[in-house]
Amino acid sequence: MKRHGADTVNSGSRSAAEEEPTTKKIKLDDAATLAGRPAELIGQDASDKMERRKVKKAIKSNAKALDLRDWILAVVLGNPAARWLNVKNPQNIKHFVVLNVLGIDREQLDLANTTADQNSAYPITVPSTSQALPSLHTLFSHACPSRAPGDQYKLHSVLHEFLQTPLLADEKMKQKKERAKRQKSTAFTNDPSMFLLSPLDMLSHSYRLPTYVELPKVVDDPQGAANGWMRAPPVSLPEGWVETPQVPLLDPRGNAAKQKIWAMDCEMVETTAGRELGRISIVDFGTSVVLFDQLVKPSNPVTSYLTAYSGLSEEILSGATLTLIDVQLRLTAPGMIDSSTILLGHSLENDLSALKLAHPKVADTAILFHHPRGPPSKPSLKWLAQKFLEKTIQTSESGHDSVEDATSCAELFSLKLQNGIQFGRFDQENESIFESMARKGLKSAYIGPGANTLGSKASTKVDCTGDGQVMDAVFINVSTHEFVFARLPSLADALGWSRQVPSQAPSVNETLEGLDVQLRKLYSSLPAYTALCVFTGHSDPRRMAELNKRKIEWDVLTRTKTPSEVPREEWWTTQDGRELENEAEHAKAGLVFFCITLPKVGK
């Protein structure tokens, strides 16, 4: 943590705006440092220091994502103050910028050989010897150890924990009344159109709209400064894509055509060009008759059949004769899928993307039914089937069955029609951090990958990938928004942490150099009285993921075989289990950096 000017946090009769601008660096408060958590940004007066006994009692471990979130809400919204980090006169902070930079670790900052233990809660001095990101030493004096959520063997979503916040008591009561009112008005509707995603909802969940769909509200801001994701549908679809044919709502006699409702599920394989369609199944909602079930020959060489999930293998697909183009022609032929057809599915945007098919009417069980944690988390189809249909699916050793999955979606949709829109939704105890901001009349922005899902409740959403694009959007939005959250994915991509690394990704050194320049540029351009937070989230998860994959494979093998029937090199041992626990703990370790900007001297 480093503060370029202490006026924002010091007590006194004058506000920060009235103080003489300064760039003086203030040392960490002794009480906070000894307390063992990221040091408090407090003044040096003894009367303003927390009693060490109270701090030590309240703080016992590394900062979690929820601790960081609660501190931000305390500063920005005036929520109950977080005890691990204190800012005096928070009303003087005009803007808050949070950067999630996955990929920064202790080795890059020359912290690997420090005396501080990895699990220690003490702030760590950022050494000036770091060559990877020298800007971190310039901007921040200390790195605060953090810990990602997870269990004994796995890492859970840092972003979910950070971006979701518990509802306050009055808001819980308000939402409970609203749900009761909504339940009363829509409890017994059996109109399937009541459960369709709106065009804007489809866009926010990464569905591609046909060119003939008109949005009720279109915001087309080329700079992405205001809901940049809500754009008009493209004049033409990407190469290889088709759209379902548009048909009149009424026939020549003025009668509405019989509503077709079809459930769809696709299985994919991994090829040299990415995921491609391997099988498609369509089931009629009303009769449960299988209308279409075909294997599809991938256009590119297969690198993995993903058999445990797809149920496909080299032997099975060897008999496939239909190509993707053949399937598209059949599905859009007269009597098949047209603009009036309702398609059901679970996270159907993935299936339609594999089909390269744009369609306007979709009911998605991953959205109609809620995950117990609430949005943006989505429930699995397997869990929904077990909970609401009381049946077990996706348990075959040979993989998933697309007909079974499509049928399950149809059965879940039938329950929705019978029980109303609130069926399968839970009383939410949480809300998005962006909703909390909006309720206080503050503007927020989510910039980077996942803007349409994780950032769906932000005032401004800018979905982009490269660090340069992300930072450009931050520069544009920071002065007009009280809170800006941005994800910079390039370093993690360069390190190979991502599942799908861009084919022409820059090297690690090039990425670090670019990131260093971007951080300096951002800091120099931030308005006065801006709090800047950089957090990494977690460390390298790849070894943990490899071990978890081996453990799952072992569990599958031992369902049907004895250990003696399994090659010894495939065994899962006690030593492997201990290594997995250690790797999971290592992956949870992260770092957080803070600073607050004030006007430059003489300005």
Side-chain angles (χ1 to χ4, degrees), residues 15-326:
S15 68
E18 296 171 322
E19 296 285 350
E20 181 181 351
T22 178
T23 56
K24 181 181 178 182
K25 299 177 182 179
I26 303 297
K27 294 182 179 180
L28 292 172
D29 176 70
D30 293 335
T33 302
L34 292 175
R37 251 300 182 52
E40 297 178 284
L41 299 178
I42 65 176
Q44 299 302 305
D45 293 339
S47 60
D48 292 327
K49 294 180 180 179
M50 270 189 174
E51 295 179 23
R52 298 186 186 188
R53 178 178 54 82
K54 292 182 179 179
V55 176
K56 288 182 178 179
K57 182 178 180 180
I59 301 171
K60 297 180 180 179
S61 62
N62 290 357
K64 299 177 182 177
L66 57 87
D67 295 324
L68 177 59
R69 175 205 67 207
D70 291 345
W71 176 69
I72 291 172
L73 291 176
V75 172
V76 178
L77 302 182
N79 283 8
R83 299 186 65 182
W84 68 283
L85 190 66
N86 182 45
V87 176
K88 304 177 84 174
N89 301 323
Q91 69 277 6
N92 294 323
I93 296 179
K94 305 304 180 185
H95 307 278
F96 213 119
V97 177
V98 178
L99 304 180
N100 175 213
V101 188
L102 195 62
I104 299 175
D105 59 25
R106 294 190 176 208
E107 285 76 11
Q108 293 162 353
L109 303 182
D110 291 341
L111 296 175
N113 297 321
T114 60
T115 56
D117 179 70
Q118 178 167 299
N119 296 318
S120 169
Y122 284 79
I124 307 168
T125 301
V126 179
S128 59
T129 56
S130 173
Q131 299 298 316
L133 287 168
S135 61
L136 291 182
H137 169 72
T138 303
L139 302 179
F140 311 100
S141 63
H142 286 71
C144 305
S146 65
R147 178 180 169 84
D151 57 28
Q152 186 178 11
Y153 300 128
K154 294 180 181 179
L155 184 69
H156 295 164
S157 172
V158 176
L159 291 184
H160 184 277
E161 184 174 78
F162 176 77
L163 295 174
Q164 295 291 309
T165 180
L167 289 170
L168 298 178
D170 57 343
E171 189 60 26
K172 284 183 184 180
M173 183 58 65
K174 179 181 177 182
Q175 291 198 12
K176 184 176 181 180
K177 291 179 180 179
E178 290 177 351
R179 283 194 298 269
K181 182 178 179 181
R182 195 162 52 242
Q183 176 75 11
K184 185 177 181 180
S185 62
T186 63
F188 303 107
T189 181
N190 59 0
D191 180 2
S193 64
M194 293 288 293
F195 302 90
L196 301 183
L197 292 176
S198 71
L200 293 183
D201 285 337
M202 291 181 68
L203 284 178
S204 71
H205 288 281
S206 302
Y207 283 90
R208 189 171 291 278
L209 293 174
T211 58
Y212 52 77
V213 172
E214 294 183 4
L215 294 178
K217 175 185 178 182
V218 176
V219 178
D220 194 1
D221 180 356
Q223 293 183 315
N227 291 348
W229 59 275
M230 279 188 208
R231 303 186 184 278
V235 176
S236 61
L237 294 168
E239 182 179 356
W241 279 72
V242 299
E243 60 188 17
T244 50
Q246 186 178 20
V247 297
L249 296 177
L250 303 176
D251 63 23
R253 297 182 180 181
N255 299 319
K258 183 179 179 181
Q259 181 74 71
K260 290 186 294 186
I261 306 178
W262 292 354
M264 173 190 291
D265 187 72
C266 295
E267 303 296 350
M268 278 72 84
V269 296
E270 195 76 45
T271 74
T272 55
R275 293 284 174 93
E276 290 192 41
L277 184 66
R279 180 186 179 187
I280 173 175
S281 302
I282 298 177
V283 175
D284 182 74
F285 170 71
T287 64
S288 297
V289 171
V290 178
L291 303 174
F292 193 88
D293 186 22
Q294 295 289 337
L295 296 173
V296 184
K297 183 179 180 180
S299 302
N300 297 281
V302 177
T303 58
S304 174
Y305 288 91
L306 307 174
T307 304
Y309 305 101
S310 69
L312 302 174
S313 64
E314 182 177 6
E315 180 182 0
I316 292 173
L317 273 188
S318 64
T321 58
L322 292 181
T323 65
L324 176 61
I325 294 176
D326 295 330

